[in-house]
Every structure is written in C-alpha cells, then in structure tokens.
Amino acid sequence: MSDSPEIANTLDLGDIQVNYHDQGEGQPVILLHGSGAGVTAWANWRNAIPMLSEFRRVLAPDLVGFGYTESPADYEFKHLDTWVDQIVRFMDALDIEKADFVGNSFGGSLSLRLAVEHPKRVGRMVLMGSGGQPFDVSPELAKLWGYKPSMEAMKEILGIMAFDQSIATDELAEMRYNATTRPGFQERFERVFPQPYQRWADAQVVSDQDLSALENEVLIIHGRDDRVVPVQISENLFRKIKNAQMHLFGNCGHWTQIEQTARFNALVLQFLQES
C-alpha cells in the first residue's frame, strides 16, 4: 500500500484497474472529479470525503485517463461514453444499484450524461462548475488541457483555478505536478483531450430536450469568478432543469469545494439529506 493519500483501493474491471476511495456507510454518493492535469479524486475531494462519509457511503474513483487508475497504453478514449461505461461498470462491480452524484466541472457533465442514459442509476445530483451547455473554450481552459509538465505550468494552472491565490500553495502544486511526471502520464493525458479542444467542450453538451426530461433533484453550484467554465453555463442549466436549485459564490473561482469548503460541504450535505 502506498503512503500517498491519493492511492486507496483498486477495483479490477478487466481492461482497467480503478483507483478509488470508499469511506463511510449508508446510501452511496459518488464523487466525480474534473479534467485538469494532475487531477485525482483525492486532490479534488479531500476536503469533502471526511465530512460526507460521516453520513453516507462516499465513493470517489479516479476516472480512466486520470490519476492512479491504470489502463493499457493503447486504451481508446471515446470521450463521455468512455467514462459513462466506467462508472456503470464500477457500480455494477460494487453491487451499487443507484447512487447520488457530486460532479466537479467535467465530472458534472459526466453526471448529467449518466442521468440521461441511465436514469435508474442516478439519484440526486450536485453539479459544481459543470459543463453541459455550449460555450467557447477559453484561453484558461486551453491551458489546462494543453498542460506540459513543469512546476511553473502547474502553478499557473492552480492560479487559474482559484480566485483566492493563497490556496494555490507550493504543496498543492507539488502534489499535482508529481502526479503528472509518472511514466506514461503525459502521453495518456494528451490522448484524452487532443486538439482542437473545442470539440471536447461541445461533446459535453446535453440537449435541451434531455435536460427538460430529467426528473432528478439537482443542486447547481458555481463560483461567480470562475475563469474556466463560465457561470452562465450553470445559469442555463438552472433554467432548463425543472427540479433545480442554484447557489453562486462570490469571490470564488472554479474550485468551490476548496475555496468555500465549509459552505460547500454544508450545502451538499443538506441537499443529500433531503432524499
């Protein structure tokens, strides 16, 4: 067992070996991370897992192509279909019939797609800085997806993510940078989101018809000062999902769960406990 808190349990799905965290008991909630370089489930959710696991069974997998989930060198990424398939097989392997979902950014888009394609598997959803609506890839998002390993590049990315620059610590930068220097990481990362980047933002769009058909209760959270995913994306989702509520944080960037940890956790817990 590694000393790294980012590495927890391993689940063999045949073609991939999923690294995942599994804490607490009760109704399951699955946390899905974003798509930034060096991201892991633990890096995204380390401030939420301990609190939520006091009340629920919390599962946080590294999505294939990211973190410490292992896949063959020639693994084919079919974009959202790739990760929808991974999560459904992940749930099946753990005998989880249905779960609530908390999705960060790309993980929010994935949660929406799961709810559309597998409605019986998805309960309540929390979408944080989520995609799912059309938008032009910003220079900041292009830097995230176009990352080349260096401490300087990682610090720049963290600065883009956070409104409060004190959060972009050397310790956090080192943890995420180290994750990107593992053998084969960069080659794999570049295969997940090859240029042109706009097509991958477009691939996350959920149609108005599918959004209006959702029966799920949905909590939408966004930082007003997000430079990665425009706050208008969440506003549009709020207008189109009938059972939606929305909370915006001022003086907050793309990392609501880190920049507003206590308030984020309280909102999510209250929302999940309503079920």
Side-chain angles (χ1 to χ4, degrees):
M1 176 67 71
S2 168
D3 292 334
S4 170
E6 297 181 282
I7 302 174
N9 307 289
T10 300
L11 184 64
D12 183 357
L13 294 183
D15 54 343
I16 57 176
Q17 307 288 316
V18 178
N19 175 59
Y20 72 104
H21 303 265
D22 186 352
Q23 297 184 23
E25 298 178 352
Q27 187 176 347
V29 55
I30 297 176
L31 313 184
L32 300 179
H33 61 71
S35 61
V39 71
T40 63
W42 183 253
N44 256 200
W45 302 115
R46 64 191 184 281
N47 294 336
I49 291 173
M51 186 282 297
L52 291 176
S53 64
E54 294 181 17
F55 305 92
R56 302 285 292 272
R57 182 184 180 187
V58 179
L59 300 111
D62 285 353
L63 297 172
V64 63
F66 301 95
Y68 292 88
T69 286
E70 298 295 339
S71 60
D74 60 351
Y75 189 84
E76 183 179 1
F77 294 97
K78 300 177 181 177
H79 290 277
L80 287 195
D81 290 342
T82 295
W83 295 289
V84 167
D85 177 69
Q86 177 191 350
I87 296 305
V88 169
R89 290 196 292 150
F90 175 78
M91 294 174 70
D92 288 344
L94 295 175
D95 294 322
I96 297 172
E97 182 177 347
K98 185 177 183 179
D100 295 329
F101 282 83
V102 182
N104 170 29
S105 192
F106 174 69
S109 303
L110 179 55
S111 299
L112 282 170
R113 185 62 63 87
L114 277 160
V116 169
E117 296 186 7
H118 301 275
K120 294 182 179 180
R121 310 302 296 268
V122 180
R124 291 183 167 235
M125 286 186 287
V126 179
L127 310 177
M128 191 201 78
S130 175
Q133 289 287 275
F135 71 98
D136 293 333
V137 171
S138 66
E140 290 84 357
L141 179 54
K143 284 184 178 180
L144 265 60
W145 285 347
Y147 168 84
K148 304 292 185 184
S150 75
M151 276 294 289
E152 290 73 21
M154 183 56 71
K155 287 180 179 179
E156 182 180 19
I157 285 176
L158 299 188
I160 289 170
M161 293 280 202
F163 177 85
D164 179 359
Q165 295 297 295
S166 69
I167 290 172
T169 62
D170 289 345
E171 180 184 6
L172 179 57
E174 184 175 5
M175 179 175 71
R176 291 188 65 146
Y177 167 70
N178 288 341
T180 71
T181 59
R182 293 163 47 230
F185 168 86
Q186 187 63 20
E187 294 81 1
R188 182 183 64 178
F189 183 68
E190 291 178 3
R191 287 196 300 111
V192 172
F193 291 111
Q195 296 191 51
Y197 298 132
Q198 185 62 47
R199 58 179 165 167
W200 308 129
D202 296 344
Q204 297 179 42
V205 173
V206 179
S207 72
D208 290 357
Q209 180 179 358
D210 284 337
L211 288 175
S212 65
L214 290 175
E215 298 291 341
N216 312 71
E217 293 288 338
V218 180
L219 170 62
I220 300 169
I221 300 175
H222 214 117
R224 182 193 62 201
D225 308 289
D226 191 337
R227 293 194 289 153
V228 180
V229 177
V231 69
Q232 289 79 13
I233 302 305
S234 283
E235 292 171 346
N236 289 340
L237 290 171
F238 172 67
R239 293 186 181 98
K240 295 174 181 180
I241 298 172
K242 56 190 171 186
N243 297 321
Q245 52 186 291
M246 183 169 66
H247 191 102
L248 302 181
F249 285 103
N251 299 325
C252 182
H254 193 56
W255 270 349
T256 308
Q257 85 281 27
I258 295 175
E259 295 192 72
Q260 296 284 343
T261 295
R263 291 173 175 175
F264 174 83
N265 286 346
L267 277 172
V268 171
L269 181 60
Q270 180 184 22
F271 175 73
L272 294 178
Q273 288 183 319
E274 293 172 0
S275 57

